[in-house]
Amino acid sequence: MQKVIKIIKNRSDIGAGTRGSDMGIDAIEIAAINKNSDYFNEYEFEDVKTHNESIYDKYRSSVAKRIEHVVEQCTRVNNAVKKSLTNNYFPIVLSGDHSSALGTISGIKAAYPAQTVGVIWIDAHADLHSPYTTPSGNIHGMPLAAVLGDDNLDCQVNDVAKDTQEHWDEMKNIGIHGPKVLAENLIYFGVRDTEEAEDKQIEKLHIRNYKVDEVRYRGLETCVDEALAKLSHCDVLYISFDVDSMDCDLISFGTGTPVSRGFDQYEIIDIINQIIWSKKVVCIEVVEVNPLLDTKGNKMAETAFQVLEAITATLVLPIE
């Protein structure tokens, strides 16, 4: 049975430290147009209402910037993803900054409350900070902490105001109350730029990270097979693809936090396609394309579309 795809467009960048990823979806669409592709006319889509004007708010928590508006945005994404899944669509979520993943995962868990959710996080960053540990206050570095419901208080360095604590508790309980994913059901690919608090969490929670060098040395197929075996008890899988998982020197600096020595686009395509063939994937998300930072024209968006087009072709193949 073929997947019935629905594109969810979330043009929000309020969880990021640098403006511009809200334009990432438009940049990807322009890449499709320039390639003479009819991709964005082929599938139903939904535009999620945004709160991007909140960047002008004068009051900002230094440890969780614009958190009250990020809560609203993630709740909207949660609702869109849950509705799509319950209506038997396969949502492909295109988002600005990566804080959106909290909303997406919450929507998946809300749609499948009795099922075990597994997460494959393809990213240069661990995104495990909380308001108590963050060095930047940018919430796109916190979605997995909220998903896991773990504040990492052992590494606390920040005092957090009561209202920020309340909003953070709201974030952790979007969709359904409590954690959405267990740490044992989270696997990283390509994470290579972390802070000490995140390193300690990864070690404490035993989160598996397939680094770029390991994938190339041991073989991509071997590593993905191993990851899928580790998640074999999960009922449904979600793939989150942050474009900064790719090598910025090789591809483009058109993302908020570029990091060198990453994957190339063909490795990303092969990783995602192999996971799709597990037949458990129910949602894929693509995030953090920032055309304002691209020094190669629209190269990052073009590369993201190359990945998107390739993995969608796999999704729509009949699965026996």
Side-chain angles (χ1 to χ4, degrees):
M1 180 179 175
Q2 289 185 332
K3 303 282 187 180
V4 182
I5 290 171
K6 186 171 188 178
I7 309 292
I8 296 176
K9 302 176 184 180
N10 175 40
R11 293 181 174 86
S12 175
D13 72 346
I14 59 174
T18 306
R19 305 278 66 79
S21 61
D22 59 320
M23 302 178 188
I25 298 167
D26 294 320
I28 293 171
E29 292 188 356
I30 289 167
I33 291 168
N34 289 341
K35 196 178 176 182
N36 294 317
S37 169
D38 204 36
Y39 182 93
F40 286 98
N41 288 324
E42 292 180 18
Y43 305 108
E44 291 185 51
F45 70 91
E46 177 178 352
D47 276 307
V48 180
K49 181 182 175 183
T50 64
H51 220 314
N52 290 339
E53 69 278 3
S54 67
I55 63 169
Y56 299 110
D57 288 357
K58 292 181 180 179
Y59 170 74
R60 298 183 184 181
S61 165
S62 61
V63 299
K65 297 171 184 175
R66 296 174 288 277
I67 186 169
E68 67 275 29
H69 301 304
V70 176
V71 170
E72 290 182 69
Q73 196 61 33
C74 286
T75 300
R76 291 171 183 148
V77 174
N78 164 83
N79 294 340
V81 170
K82 179 185 177 184
K83 183 176 73 174
S84 291
L85 290 170
T86 54
N87 288 331
N88 296 316
Y89 287 101
F90 185 102
I92 295 178
V93 184
L94 305 181
S95 288
D97 76 81
H98 216 167
S99 65
S100 61
L102 167 61
T104 303
I105 297 171
S106 297
I108 294 169
K109 187 62 178 176
Y112 304 112
Q115 300 199 44
T116 302
V117 178
V119 172
I120 296 95
W121 195 263
I122 307 171
D123 196 334
H125 304 93
D127 294 344
L128 271 176
H129 278 296
S130 75
Y132 302 93
T133 67
T134 176
S136 69
N138 299 322
I139 300 178
H140 70 165
M142 306 184 197
L144 287 177
V147 163
L148 297 173
D150 192 322
D151 298 341
N152 193 12
L153 295 179
D154 290 343
C155 295
Q156 180 174 355
V157 293
N158 301 322
D159 293 324
V160 181
K162 184 178 179 181
D163 61 339
T164 300
Q165 291 180 24
E166 291 171 350
H167 290 308
W168 178 243
D169 286 341
E170 286 182 67
M171 287 194 75
K172 291 188 289 185
N173 291 298
I174 290 172
I176 67 167
H177 186 81
K180 315 300 182 292
V181 175
L182 299 176
E184 65 193 52
N185 299 329
L186 165 64
I187 291 180
Y188 289 134
F189 274 87
V191 170
R192 59 196 182 279
D193 184 16
T194 56
E195 282 84 34
E196 183 180 359
E198 292 178 305
D199 292 335
K200 288 183 176 180
Q201 275 293 74
I202 291 169
E203 183 180 3
K204 182 182 84 172
L205 299 174
H206 306 291
I207 300 171
R208 186 65 164 95
N209 178 20
Y210 289 94
K211 295 186 177 182
V212 177
D213 289 347
E214 179 184 357
V215 171
R216 290 175 179 166
Y217 177 74
R218 296 183 59 213
L220 185 149
E221 186 174 343
T222 297
C223 291
V224 176
D225 276 344
E226 193 174 278
L228 288 172
K230 189 174 188 297
L231 300 177
S232 61
H233 62 285
C234 293
D235 302 299
V236 295
L237 300 177
Y238 156 76
I239 302 171
S240 196
F241 166 45
D242 187 324
V243 297
D244 71 24
S245 60
M246 297 188 292
D247 191 321
C248 62
D249 297 319
L250 178 68
I251 308 294
S252 165
F253 278 73
T255 186
T257 44
V259 185
S260 60
R261 299 183 179 181
F263 293 115
D264 65 33
Q265 66 269 45
Y266 305 105
E267 291 169 314
I268 297 293
I269 290 167
D270 287 346
I271 289 168
I272 295 176
N273 278 344
Q274 190 174 336
I275 298 167
I276 289 171
W277 280 109
S278 72
K279 304 179 186 179
K280 290 185 175 183
V281 181
V282 297
C283 180
I284 296 173
E285 186 160 12
V286 180
V287 303
E288 295 281 1
V289 172
N290 190 332
L292 294 184
L293 302 176
D294 204 322
T295 58
K296 299 181 181 179
N298 199 32
K299 183 63 182 295
M300 184 61 87
E302 291 166 355
T303 307
F305 180 65
Q306 182 182 353
V307 173
L308 181 62
E309 198 171 35
I311 63 176
T312 303
T314 304
L315 282 171
V316 299
L317 284 172
I319 297 179
E320 297 177 0

